[in-house]
């Protein structure tokens, strides 16, 4: 949803209450807020999408684990 719509009161409180809200660009208007990442293939990933993935990892307790030692884990990340 658009931040402008949220600020204008067009978005009901029920849609965003008690939720994690990330604000960022996700279209050509946000250039240059897109970056190549190891898992984005040939496409760049929007900054807000990276924050969403990071937030999801934190909230679901899914972190990289040093199974084969610190060096290998660091390279995998």
């Amino acid at each position: 949803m658009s931040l402008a719509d949220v600020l204008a009161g067009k978005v009901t409180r029920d849609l965003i209450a008690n939720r994690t809200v990330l604000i960022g660009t996700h279209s050509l208007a946000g250039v240059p807020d897109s970056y190549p990442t190891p898992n984005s293939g040939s496409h760049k990933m929007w900054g807000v999408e990276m924050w969403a993935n990071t937030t999801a990892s934190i909230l679901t307790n899914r972190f990289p684990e040093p199974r084969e030692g610190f060096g290998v884990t660091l390279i995998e990340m």
Side-chain angles (χ1 to χ4, degrees):
M1 65 188 69
S2 165
L3 177 60
D5 288 343
V6 174
L7 295 176
K10 295 178 182 178
V11 177
T12 64
R13 179 174 167 73
D14 294 343
L15 287 176
I16 57 176
N18 300 316
R19 301 189 192 281
T20 302
V21 177
L22 302 173
I23 301 170
T25 58
H26 60 78
S27 65
L28 292 179
V31 173
D33 191 30
S34 60
Y35 310 91
T37 61
N39 63 343
S40 63
S42 63
H43 301 287
K44 292 183 177 180
M45 189 176 289
W46 300 107
V48 70
E49 185 179 1
M50 287 190 269
W51 283 112
N53 289 330
T54 302
T55 302
S57 293
I58 292 169
L59 294 177
T60 59
N61 201 27
R62 291 176 37 210
F63 302 99
E65 296 181 19
R67 289 177 287 224
E68 298 177 24
F70 178 76
V72 174
T73 302
L74 185 61
I75 291 169
E76 287 178 348
M77 292 189 328

